[in-house]
Amino acid sequence: QLQASGGGLVQAGGSLRLSCAASGRTLTLYGISWFRQAPGKEREFVAASWSGGSTSFADSVKGRFTISRDNDKNTVYLQMNELKPEDTAIYYCAARLGRQITYGRYYPYWGQGTQVTVSS
């Protein structure tokens, strides 16, 4: 089970840190990705922390977002800086084993989502 948290309301230029905590499984072997879905838009990939230690980011967030893991806490963090109104969405974390894939339909495990709202 994945539990996403940390969303909220922030002004443009501000920061938030999202957390994705796992229970019942160890995240070490999993690729953990963050996706987001804004109203009226399709879900999109945001960032990933792969099991081998590498990371991936959507072009829209490169240089502003970072992703990290705390294996002791079985948690993955998404640090979001320089937030923009277009970052407003529900953010979901998801987990999968195997290949580094950024398409959500290939992820079997999902958290419940956390709302991020960035005001201008």
Side-chain angles (χ1 to χ4, degrees), residues 8-74:
L9 173 64
V10 64
Q11 289 187 333
S15 298
L16 283 174
R17 189 179 76 161
L18 305 185
S19 299
C20 179
S23 60
R25 64 183 76 245
T26 301
L27 293 182
T28 305
L29 298 179
Y30 288 80
I32 306 298
S33 290
W34 287 93
F35 295 85
R36 66 187 182 187
Q37 187 165 20
K41 295 187 177 181
E42 293 187 354
R43 182 178 60 197
E44 64 175 356
F45 169 80
V46 176
S49 171
W50 306 114
S51 60
S54 61
T55 58
S56 299
F57 296 92
D59 288 344
S60 59
V61 306
K62 280 181 181 176
R64 301 188 296 122
F65 291 12
T66 60
I67 190 168
S68 61
R69 291 180 181 242
D70 185 333
N71 288 330
D72 290 339
K73 295 183 178 180
N74 216 25

Side-chain angles (χ1 to χ4, degrees), residues 1-2 25 30 93-97 107-111:
Q1 182 178 359
L2 299 177
R25 64 183 76 245
Y30 288 80
C93 62
R96 73 179 311 278
L97 291 169
Y107 284 73
Y109 309 108
W110 288 82

Side-chain angles (χ1 to χ4, degrees), residues 74-113:
N74 216 25
T75 300
V76 173
Y77 302 100
L78 182 68
Q79 178 67 43
M80 306 186 296
N81 300 325
E82 301 176 33
L83 283 162
K84 305 175 181 180
E86 50 264 44
D87 294 318
T88 295
I90 300 175
Y91 283 70
Y92 300 89
C93 62
R96 73 179 311 278
L97 291 169
R99 294 172 55 195
Q100 299 178 1
I101 294 177
T102 59
Y103 295 99
R105 63 181 179 271
Y106 295 108
Y107 284 73
Y109 309 108
W110 288 82
Q112 85 288 5

